[in-house]
Amino acid sequence: MPYIGGRNLEILFSAEEIARRNRELAQQIAARHLERPLAVSILKGSFIFAADLIRAMHDAGIEPDVEFITVSSYGSGTKGGDIRLVRDIDSDVAGRDILLIDDILESGKTLNFVRELMLSRGARSVSIAVLLDKPGHRKLDLNADFTAFECPDYFVVGYGMDVAHSFRQLPYVARVLDAEE
């Protein structure tokens, strides 16, 4: 059990498990036959997952365009709040197949916000890929099209996800044992 930055961690999903699931998700996405999708990574938490998934998509024969959007709902704490658009994408989405990539689907508010934004701009379709799904926290009727793992009801870090801007660099997903759940 790692002890990093004064916190006890329990590894839930190893780097090897994540890499395997990224390859499987890329194959599932390829089976959808999207025409040169626009992959939109929701920053900051999804940046590592998005990079690895996009490379796996390349290996599966998909050549997406890539964009980044920053939407904030957490700040530096562990509880979600109001959603605000911090940085928008530059691309025109009209008539495009969009693949939203996010680290975790909990309440559904953030992903629904970005999904509705893309649809309002004329996207042909919007699919959602998430590393982790916490269905017990859902506030909206929203599900991901592609999910790597269902996550227990824990506060997690690593593989891009943080607590107070720490732990993003970890190559695995871990539960913070001394965090408020």
Side-chain angles (χ1 to χ4, degrees):
M1 196 168 313
Y3 182 79
I4 300 172
R7 307 298 279 270
N8 289 303
L9 305 177
E10 173 188 5
I11 297 173
L12 299 176
F13 305 108
S14 70
E16 296 77 19
E17 290 173 299
I18 294 168
R20 178 184 52 79
R21 286 299 292 144
N22 280 335
R23 289 187 301 272
E24 292 169 358
L25 289 178
Q27 291 298 325
Q28 292 172 14
I29 293 166
R32 284 274 178 103
H33 304 293
L34 300 178
E35 291 182 30
R36 193 167 182 93
L38 175 61
V40 178
S41 173
I42 301 175
L43 298 178
K44 296 179 185 173
S46 74
F47 79 102
I48 293 176
F49 173 52
D52 288 348
L53 181 60
I54 289 165
R55 284 192 295 264
M57 289 168 61
H58 168 81
D59 292 342
I62 303 169
E63 298 299 327
D65 292 331
V66 180
E67 272 282 7
F68 303 92
I69 191 168
T70 305
V71 180
S72 178
S73 65
Y74 281 97
S76 62
T78 62
K79 302 291 183 198
D82 292 332
I83 299 165
R84 65 185 178 90
L85 182 61
V86 176
R87 183 195 179 280
D88 205 347
I89 64 173
D90 297 321
S91 299
D92 181 8
V93 301
R96 301 282 312 265
D97 292 315
I98 308 300
L99 177 65
L100 298 180
I101 302 174
D102 205 2
D103 55 349
I104 189 164
L105 172 54
E106 285 186 273
S107 71
K109 291 179 181 179
T110 299
L111 277 162
N112 188 63
F113 175 86
V114 178
R115 179 180 174 277
E116 292 301 317
L117 180 64
M118 297 297 118
L119 289 171
S120 74
R121 293 176 176 174
R124 178 171 51 198
S125 70
V126 179
S127 301
I128 297 171
V130 296
L131 177 66
L132 304 174
D133 185 12
K134 284 187 178 180
H137 282 256
R138 205 78 80 242
K139 302 277 190 251
L140 301 173
D141 185 21
L142 181 74
N143 293 301
D145 300 279
F146 309 99
T147 301
F149 302 98
E150 188 166 313
C151 185
D153 190 17
Y154 301 140
F155 188 81
V156 294
V157 296
Y159 202 64
M161 296 172 286
D162 74 322
V163 61
H165 309 294
S166 296
F167 304 108
R168 289 189 194 278
Q169 79 285 357
L170 300 175
Y172 49 77
V173 174
R175 170 185 181 193
V176 179
L177 294 177
D178 48 356
E180 289 183 33
E181 304 279 347

